[in-house]
Amino acid sequence: MNVSDYDFELPERLIAQTPLKDRTSSRLLVLHRDTGAVEHRSFRDLKDYLRPGDTLVLNDTKVIPARLFGTKADTGAKVELLLLKNIEGDLWEALVRPGKKIRKGAILHFGGADLDSEQKVKPILTAVVEEEGEMGARLIRFAYEGIFNELLDRLGEMPLPPYIKERLDDRDRYQTVYARHEGSAAAPTAGLHFTDDFLAELEAWGVRICRVTLHVGLGTFRPVAVENVLEHRMHEEWYSVSPESAALLNRARAEGGRVVAVGTTSARTLETVGGRFGERPIEPCSGWTDIFIYPGYEFRLVNALLTNFHLPKSTLVMLVSALAGREAILSAYREAVAEQYRFFSFGDAMFIT
């Protein structure tokens, strides 16, 4: 199984650079797994494909302003830090730029004087590189006065993907309306299409809303660097399932209702839990997952998936291909290109049913 098998042509003009003003005004491509048929609808038509008793699973992670710009303490050279996950306390895993010049023992300063000024002012955040980790990551320990999250909110920027070149004026547009638990380095973008009103409308229709948490980390930014899919290794991400959510999932199983994942992060969480408990009742749980879903995988919990359109040759294209079939996905993607759908984080949606 080769990575090149999941490639497709995508004109750059179709990469959405900004979110739509109305979250629910995106287009919706519906792919029927049983026939391969495709329908072109609007996102609000999702209700037509859901039915009472379905359980809609949302990832309620919250993106932190994880991109920091600062200087090296010894040379004053500019540096960039992207926080990926909190290990414990003030210890974080992060990506650094320029990576080759930021080694173990390096001291980094953030905030204080203007980056181009020679004025010596005490930095707001000081970071020390404690270890050089795998895949270009670093372990960073912060020192500061005050509350870290407040300082991060003051200094940090939202970590938009590299294919988005436009500035995002409203931070909240890179958050889902149901974001609750801080910890992600990227948004679970399939959820960006929902509003509180639309979720309430679905609940009134009889759809049950279930929330899980998966903090999106390094795997989102890491390309597949091998040609053989089986040689790729996913990075670990932290997940959590509450007692309420476990009960909802058990109820869906018992009553035969569909489990509809909103986004690949929700799908990966559900399948991690499905693998953990098998046929036994699902219990509240948390931990780390590096689950890699590609064609040949048998889904345990996910019956349908709402997702955005993904990058060529990515693990996310492989995941949706595992659910719907590679040929069906690539055919649907070719049709989406022909129909001028908007792609990636701020793009249109796809419902695989």
Side-chain angles (χ1 to χ4, degrees):
M1 194 183 310
N2 295 325
V3 174
S4 56
D5 294 336
Y6 300 89
D7 198 7
F8 59 90
E9 293 291 330
L10 178 66
E12 189 173 347
R13 69 179 185 280
L14 297 184
I15 300 175
Q17 293 295 313
T18 55
L20 298 176
K21 184 176 181 180
D22 177 6
R23 289 177 183 260
T24 61
S25 62
S26 294
R27 298 166 72 188
L28 179 69
L29 185 149
V30 180
L31 173 61
H32 296 270
R33 287 190 287 158
D34 54 349
T35 64
V38 167
E39 296 181 75
H40 302 288
R41 306 290 295 270
S42 67
F43 183 76
R44 290 194 62 84
D45 294 331
L46 177 65
K47 182 180 175 182
D48 295 342
Y49 299 92
L50 299 176
R51 47 186 181 258
D54 283 349
T55 299
L56 195 68
V57 182
L58 314 175
N59 180 7
D60 63 5
T61 188
K62 189 171 185 178
V63 185
I64 60 174
R67 179 164 276 120
L68 291 164
F69 297 92
T71 58
K72 287 189 71 179
D74 55 352
T75 65
K78 293 183 179 181
V79 298
E80 180 182 342
L81 200 65
L82 178 62
L83 302 181
L84 296 175
K85 67 182 180 185
N86 184 216
I87 306 300
E88 61 177 9
D90 295 318
L91 184 66
W92 286 77
E93 181 184 48
L95 293 178
V96 295
R97 184 184 296 176
K100 292 182 179 180
K101 295 185 178 181
I102 304 176
R103 298 299 189 184
K104 182 177 179 179
I107 300 174
L108 313 176
H109 288 165
F110 302 94
D114 185 270
L115 295 181
D116 295 322
S117 171
E118 294 183 358
Q119 181 183 3
K120 301 298 182 183
V121 177
K122 184 178 180 181
I124 295 173
L125 286 175
T126 296
V128 178
V129 179
E130 293 199 346
E131 296 290 344
E132 297 181 35
E134 58 182 11
M135 295 180 285
R138 302 287 190 273
L139 290 183
I140 306 283
R141 188 173 299 276
F142 285 98
Y144 53 90
E145 294 179 359
I147 300 174
F148 181 78
N149 285 350
E150 292 180 358
L151 300 178
L152 188 62
D153 191 59
R154 173 181 167 188
L155 297 175
E157 295 185 7
M158 295 302 277
L160 296 179
Y163 50 76
I164 294 179
K165 311 300 181 185
E166 297 289 330
R167 181 179 177 84
L168 182 65
D169 293 326
D170 181 5
R171 280 187 178 184
D172 287 342
R173 287 302 277 112
Y174 196 57
Q175 299 278 20
T176 63
V177 296
Y178 47 80
R180 184 179 302 171
H181 302 293
E182 291 187 336
S184 270
T189 54
L192 297 178
H193 302 282
F194 288 96
T195 61
D196 289 325
D197 287 344
F198 189 50
L199 285 170
E201 185 179 331
L202 294 178
E203 281 195 281
W205 173 243
V207 175
R208 298 166 188 151
I209 305 298
C210 174
R211 292 170 172 81
V212 298
T213 304
L214 183 134
H215 291 324
V216 188
L218 180 60
T220 292
F221 300 94
R222 183 190 176 204
V224 180
V226 294
E227 178 57 21
N228 185 344
V229 170
L230 303 181
E231 295 176 2
H232 179 72
R233 185 163 62 89
M234 298 287 285
H235 197 73
E236 287 188 334
E237 295 166 313
W238 187 86
Y239 73 93
S240 178
V241 177
S242 69
E244 296 78 11
S245 295
L248 282 168
L249 294 173
N250 287 327
R251 182 178 178 184
R253 271 182 164 182
E255 297 179 358
R258 291 187 306 172
V259 174
V260 181
V262 175
T264 56
T265 59
S266 294
R268 293 180 66 242
T269 304
L270 288 167
E271 291 305 305
T272 296
V273 170
R276 179 170 176 171
F277 292 100
E279 298 300 319
R280 293 178 290 122
I282 295 167
E283 300 176 9
C285 58
S286 63
W288 297 92
T289 180
D290 61 356
I291 189 172
F292 182 18
I293 297 174
Y294 50 84
Y297 178 86
E298 294 187 9
F299 284 82
R300 296 176 172 91
L301 282 179
V302 174
N303 303 119
L305 173 66
L306 177 74
T307 185
N308 281 16
F309 294 94
H310 304 295
L311 278 72
K313 299 192 290 186
S314 66
T315 60
L316 304 183
V317 168
M318 296 172 199
L319 186 154
V320 295
S321 295
L323 184 63
R326 184 181 73 92
E327 289 301 329
I329 287 293
L330 293 180
S331 176
Y333 270 48
R334 286 192 293 268
E335 190 162 339
V337 169
E339 294 293 328
Q340 305 284 296
Y341 275 72
R342 303 166 77 247
F343 273 67
F344 304 162
S345 297
F346 289 141
D348 295 314
M350 180 180 193
F351 186 54
I352 303 172
T353 184

